[in-house]
Amino acid sequence: MPESIFETDDATLRFKEREWQIKRTANYEWTISSAEGDSVGILRCVTPLGNEGNSVFDLELADTPEVKETEGSDWLSMIEYAANEYLDKKAPDSAGYVE
């Protein structure tokens, strides 16, 4: 994974012993997918240069009945958060388990 998401058009992130695909879909937007091709979420840059000099991103999770967005400047942690949410939904003992 490059140091900057802005340098990423198509990349593979290894997290929790799995691979996650990150693909640019627009100038300031990237999709996050599982290795199986399931949609995990969309990462968007809201502000390329925020108050403290950091870019600000928001995250839209896939298959979430309610709008559950997260905003922050750590794009990598936001992608990992989306992956965790996806894995939680796939866990058989999870309240949000989907077979």
Side-chain angles (χ1 to χ4, degrees), residues 8 40 48 51 84 90:
T8 304
V40 174
N51 291 342
N84 275 327
K90 297 295 181 185

Side-chain angles (χ1 to χ4, degrees), residues 11-98:
T12 301
L13 169 68
R14 293 221 21 102
F15 177 69
K16 291 206 170 178
E17 300 178 15
R18 297 181 61 148
E19 292 187 346
W20 307 92
Q21 281 303 121
I22 314 303
K23 290 187 181 187
R24 184 187 304 266
T25 54
N27 197 30
Y28 289 117
E29 182 176 284
W30 298 263
T31 60
I32 308 160
S33 304
S34 69
E36 298 80 26
D38 294 338
S39 177
V40 174
I42 299 171
L43 180 72
R44 290 184 191 93
C45 178
V46 179
T47 307
L49 192 57
N51 291 342
E52 297 178 17
N54 297 321
S55 302
V56 178
F57 299 90
D58 74 16
L59 175 67
E60 179 183 325
L61 298 175
D63 300 328
T64 303
E66 63 210 42
V67 175
K68 185 175 184 182
E69 293 187 6
T70 282
E71 189 173 280
S73 59
D74 187 347
W75 59 270
L76 184 56
S77 291
M78 293 173 76
I79 292 172
E80 291 172 346
Y81 171 77
N84 275 327
E85 290 291 309
Y86 171 83
L87 292 173
D88 284 349
K89 286 181 186 176
K90 297 295 181 185
D93 59 345
S94 164
Y97 177 61
V98 178

